Short mmCIF file of all heavy atoms in Angstrom, two decimals:
data_model
loop_
_atom_site.label_atom_id
_atom_site.label_comp_id
_atom_site.label_asym_id
_atom_site.label_seq_id
_atom_site.Cartn_x
_atom_site.Cartn_y
_atom_site.Cartn_z
N ALA A 98 200.36 -41.84 -25.37
CA ALA A 98 200.15 -42.16 -23.93
C ALA A 98 199.38 -41.11 -23.12
O ALA A 98 198.42 -41.50 -22.55
CB ALA A 98 201.51 -42.57 -23.25
N ILE A 99 199.86 -39.82 -23.32
CA ILE A 99 199.11 -38.78 -22.56
C ILE A 99 197.67 -38.57 -22.94
O ILE A 99 196.85 -38.62 -22.09
CB ILE A 99 200.03 -37.53 -22.55
CG1 ILE A 99 201.31 -37.74 -22.04
CG2 ILE A 99 199.26 -36.34 -21.93
CD1 ILE A 99 202.35 -36.60 -22.14
N PRO A 100 197.51 -38.36 -24.20
CA PRO A 100 196.03 -38.17 -24.63
C PRO A 100 195.15 -39.39 -24.34
O PRO A 100 194.01 -39.29 -24.01
CB PRO A 100 196.07 -37.82 -26.07
CG PRO A 100 197.41 -37.52 -26.35
CD PRO A 100 198.32 -38.24 -25.44
N GLN A 101 195.89 -40.56 -24.47
CA GLN A 101 195.07 -41.82 -24.28
C GLN A 101 194.56 -41.95 -22.77
O GLN A 101 193.45 -42.42 -22.66
CB GLN A 101 196.06 -42.97 -24.59
CG GLN A 101 195.40 -44.42 -24.62
CD GLN A 101 196.55 -45.36 -24.89
OE1 GLN A 101 196.70 -46.32 -24.17
NE2 GLN A 101 197.34 -45.23 -25.93
N VAL A 102 195.48 -41.61 -21.90
CA VAL A 102 195.02 -41.77 -20.46
C VAL A 102 194.04 -40.70 -20.15
O VAL A 102 192.93 -40.99 -19.48
CB VAL A 102 196.25 -41.60 -19.51
CG1 VAL A 102 195.82 -41.44 -18.09
CG2 VAL A 102 197.23 -42.74 -19.72
N ILE A 103 194.08 -39.41 -20.65
CA ILE A 103 193.17 -38.42 -20.41
C ILE A 103 191.73 -38.77 -20.99
O ILE A 103 190.77 -38.64 -20.33
CB ILE A 103 193.65 -37.09 -20.95
CG1 ILE A 103 194.94 -36.62 -20.16
CG2 ILE A 103 192.53 -35.96 -20.83
CD1 ILE A 103 195.57 -35.35 -20.82
N PHE A 104 191.69 -39.16 -22.31
CA PHE A 104 190.45 -39.49 -22.88
C PHE A 104 189.79 -40.73 -22.27
O PHE A 104 188.68 -40.93 -22.17
CB PHE A 104 190.67 -39.74 -24.40
CG PHE A 104 190.77 -38.40 -25.16
CD1 PHE A 104 191.96 -38.24 -25.83
CD2 PHE A 104 189.73 -37.49 -25.13
CE1 PHE A 104 192.03 -36.94 -26.53
CE2 PHE A 104 189.90 -36.28 -25.83
CZ PHE A 104 191.01 -36.04 -26.56
N ALA A 105 190.68 -41.74 -21.88
CA ALA A 105 190.17 -42.87 -21.25
C ALA A 105 189.43 -42.62 -19.95
O ALA A 105 188.45 -43.14 -19.61
CB ALA A 105 191.26 -43.98 -20.99
N LEU A 106 190.00 -41.64 -19.17
CA LEU A 106 189.40 -41.15 -17.89
C LEU A 106 188.11 -40.60 -18.17
O LEU A 106 187.05 -40.77 -17.49
CB LEU A 106 190.32 -40.16 -17.21
CG LEU A 106 191.48 -40.80 -16.29
CD1 LEU A 106 192.39 -39.79 -15.93
CD2 LEU A 106 190.90 -41.60 -15.06
N ILE A 107 187.99 -39.65 -19.23
CA ILE A 107 186.75 -38.97 -19.46
C ILE A 107 185.66 -39.94 -19.86
O ILE A 107 184.49 -39.87 -19.57
CB ILE A 107 186.96 -37.92 -20.51
CG1 ILE A 107 188.00 -36.81 -20.01
CG2 ILE A 107 185.62 -37.32 -21.11
CD1 ILE A 107 188.38 -35.83 -21.11
N ILE A 108 186.01 -40.87 -20.80
CA ILE A 108 185.09 -41.83 -21.29
C ILE A 108 184.64 -42.73 -20.08
O ILE A 108 183.45 -43.06 -20.00
CB ILE A 108 185.72 -42.70 -22.40
CG1 ILE A 108 185.96 -41.94 -23.65
CG2 ILE A 108 184.86 -43.91 -22.75
CD1 ILE A 108 186.90 -42.60 -24.71
#
Side-chain angles (χ1 to χ4, degrees):
I99 296 174
Q101 189 182 126
V102 172
I103 294 173
F104 283 118
L106 277 171
I107 296 173
I108 293 172

